[in-house]
């Protein structure tokens, strides 16, 4: 069974799942896990295909959340002693798009700065950027309300013919919006991975000197991947802000990046379906454990499950299910990709 067929079956199951769920809290948990899955999918483009570990990926998630929330609420921007610049509240869908764009621009800037120097500089810069973003959200009280949070964020809304602007407020409606956005994100990544850009990224991951020798522009492709990944993470953050309708600086916490990395690694980095499977497992497992065991055992079981998957399935769940070819054949395939990426 191919990865695409598994993805179609999984999408069909997720599409009918709410009809068998009567507990609204379960729908809330599934929707929240779905938002994290989209963020993990964006990280997989960098970690799984470009071979670049971003430990500050939550910064783009938080930027998308704050930008979309601020533009949908309206805000005042104070600059020195001059009169404040008043930005009126914009339609939610425009604020949502702006959240994606701002996150993508910051991703492009971080990529341009980091990939001029090789090695661990990208990892260090992303960690620092995430911490700086959190401090800005915490201390720029006149704009972000600091620790008091932004509240009363309007729900995501869409224009429907004959109905006008329809807000998405119910649990089931929000679930299907996240599912649709997840399918769109999966389709976009599928198109990128199987394009010239995707072949170039895989070639860089497998053998960068060889990729350079056949004319692949390393910095150009890595910066492009960072910008796309950041924009997608910003979209997940914007969806999160309009779903929970309250946002504070804790959205930049490092634990969210760790969770995304766990989802990618256990599901199978470098596979489109890996972050989805890993995200559903480790996004829903904490809530399942909360219902079954005492609090002191929850983290222990969570950690043991992760260790067992990494130990017995070192390449992840999805590659094990698909029975990917050996490393020798992978090396020959990457050699072909090196030459194809420049054609």
């Amino acid at each position: 069974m191919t990865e695409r067929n598994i993805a179609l079956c999984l999408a069909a199951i997720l599409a009918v799942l709410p009809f068998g769920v009567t507990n609204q809290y379960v729908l809330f948990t599934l929707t929240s896990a779905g938002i994290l899955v989209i963020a993990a999918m964006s990280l997989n483009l960098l970690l799984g295909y470009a071979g670049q570990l971003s430990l500050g990926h939550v910064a783009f998630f938080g930027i998308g959340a704050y930008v979309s929330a601020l533009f949908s609420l309206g805000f005042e921007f104070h600059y020195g002693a001059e009169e404040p610049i008043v930005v009126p509240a914009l339609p939610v869908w425009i604020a949502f798009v702006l959240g994606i764009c701002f996150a993508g621009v910051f991703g492009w800037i971080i990529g341009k700065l980091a990939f001029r120097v090789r090695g661990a500089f990208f990892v260090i810069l992303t960690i620092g950027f995430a911490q700086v973003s959190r401090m800005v959200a915490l201390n720029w009280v006149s704009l972000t309300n600091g620790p008091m949070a932004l509240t009363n964020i309007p729900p995501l809304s869409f224009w429907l013919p004959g109905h006008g602007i329809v807000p998405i407020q119910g649990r089931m409606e929000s679930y299907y919006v996240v599912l649709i956005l997840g399918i769109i994100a999966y389709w976009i990544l599928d198109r990128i991975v199987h394009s010239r850009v995707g072949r170039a990224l895989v070639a860089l991951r497998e053998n960068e000197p060889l990729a350079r020798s056949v004319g692949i522009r390393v910095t150009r492709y890595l910066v492009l991947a960072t910008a796309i990944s950041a924009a997608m993470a910003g979209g997940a953050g914007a969806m999160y802000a309009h779903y929970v309708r309250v946002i504070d600086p804790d959205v930049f916490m490092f634990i969210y990046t760790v969770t995304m990395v766990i989802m990618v690694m256990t599901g199978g980095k470098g596979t489109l379906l890996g972050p989805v499977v890993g995200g559903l497992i480790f996004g829903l497992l904490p809530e399942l454990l909360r219902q079954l065991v005492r609090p002191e055992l929850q983290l222990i079981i969570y950690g043991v499950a992760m260790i067992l998957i990494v130990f017995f399935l070192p390449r992840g769940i999805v590659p094990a299910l698909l029975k990917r070819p050996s490393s020798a054949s992978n090396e020959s395939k990457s050699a072909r990709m090196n030459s194809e990426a420049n054609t």
Side-chain angles (χ1 to χ4, degrees):
M1 195 172 188
T2 65
E3 185 176 6
R4 185 165 295 177
N5 290 336
I6 296 176
L8 290 174
C9 292
L10 184 58
I13 293 172
L14 292 174
V16 300
L17 185 61
F19 295 102
V21 176
T22 57
N23 192 327
Q24 293 297 304
Y25 180 72
V26 174
L27 276 180
F28 173 82
T29 304
L30 286 169
T31 306
S32 301
I35 293 173
L36 275 179
V37 165
I38 296 174
M41 289 166 61
S42 71
L43 177 61
N44 187 45
L45 182 63
L46 278 178
L47 178 58
Y49 289 97
Q52 303 296 321
L53 176 60
S54 171
L55 288 181
H57 206 65
V58 72
F60 307 120
F61 183 88
I63 288 171
Y66 264 99
V67 169
S68 187
L70 285 169
F71 276 105
S72 63
L73 289 169
F75 60 93
E76 293 184 356
F77 181 78
H78 296 269
Y79 183 75
E82 299 179 3
E83 289 294 323
I85 300 174
V86 179
V87 178
L90 298 177
V92 177
W93 69 270
I94 295 179
F96 182 82
V97 173
L98 287 174
I100 296 174
C101 294
F102 270 74
V105 169
F106 275 103
W108 181 82
I109 293 172
I110 293 297
K112 291 290 282 187
L113 292 175
F115 291 125
R116 293 181 181 274
V117 181
R118 309 302 295 150
F121 190 74
F122 179 72
V123 179
I124 296 172
L125 187 58
T126 54
I127 294 174
F129 179 63
Q131 293 303 312
V132 169
S133 300
R134 182 176 184 275
M135 295 307 297
V136 169
L138 185 63
N139 293 294
W140 198 349
V141 179
S142 63
L143 180 66
T144 66
N145 277 350
M148 294 179 289
L150 291 173
T151 58
N152 297 320
I153 301 171
L156 198 63
S157 59
F158 296 96
W159 181 83
L160 293 178
H163 296 82
I165 302 297
V166 178
I168 308 298
Q169 293 181 316
R171 297 285 190 223
M172 185 172 290
E173 291 85 351
S174 298
Y175 173 88
Y176 279 111
V177 168
V178 172
L179 178 60
I180 292 171
L181 291 177
I183 292 173
I184 292 173
Y186 186 95
W187 178 80
I188 292 173
L189 288 173
D190 181 71
R191 299 292 296 176
I192 293 173
V193 166
H194 293 98
S195 68
R196 178 180 178 180
V197 174
R199 292 193 296 269
L201 292 176
V202 173
L204 293 172
R205 180 195 66 191
E206 296 295 334
N207 194 327
E208 184 176 325
L210 181 58
R212 286 179 180 272
S213 69
V214 296
I216 295 177
R217 299 173 62 180
V218 174
T219 303
R220 175 185 176 184
Y221 283 107
L222 291 180
V223 171
L224 179 61
T226 305
I228 295 173
S229 177
M232 192 170 293
M239 180 65 214
Y240 177 78
H242 294 290
Y243 179 57
V244 300
R245 304 184 65 182
V246 176
I247 203 77
D248 62 22
D250 285 347
V251 75
F252 292 100
M253 289 179 63
F254 183 68
I255 187 62
Y256 291 120
T257 294
V258 174
T259 302
M260 294 177 203
V261 173
I262 291 173
M263 290 176 174
V264 173
M265 297 299 295
T266 56
K269 68 174 184 176
T271 61
L272 289 169
L273 198 57
V276 180
V277 174
L280 289 175
I281 292 175
F282 286 94
L284 299 177
L285 185 60
E287 298 300 329
L288 179 63
L289 293 175
R290 186 176 299 177
Q291 306 295 327
L292 299 177
V293 299
R294 297 192 303 271
E296 57 270 20
L297 294 177
Q298 292 173 13
L299 290 178
I300 295 176
I301 297 175
Y302 186 91
V304 169
M306 182 179 62
I307 292 172
L308 289 175
I309 291 175
V310 172
F311 184 79
F312 290 104
L313 304 173
R315 296 169 58 208
I317 298 172
V318 172
L321 292 175
L322 297 176
K323 296 181 179 180
R324 288 293 174 88
S326 64
S327 59
S329 60
N330 277 337
E331 289 177 3
S332 62
K333 184 185 294 185
S334 66
R336 291 196 302 271
M337 286 183 175
N338 289 338
S339 58
E340 290 177 3
N342 198 43
T343 61

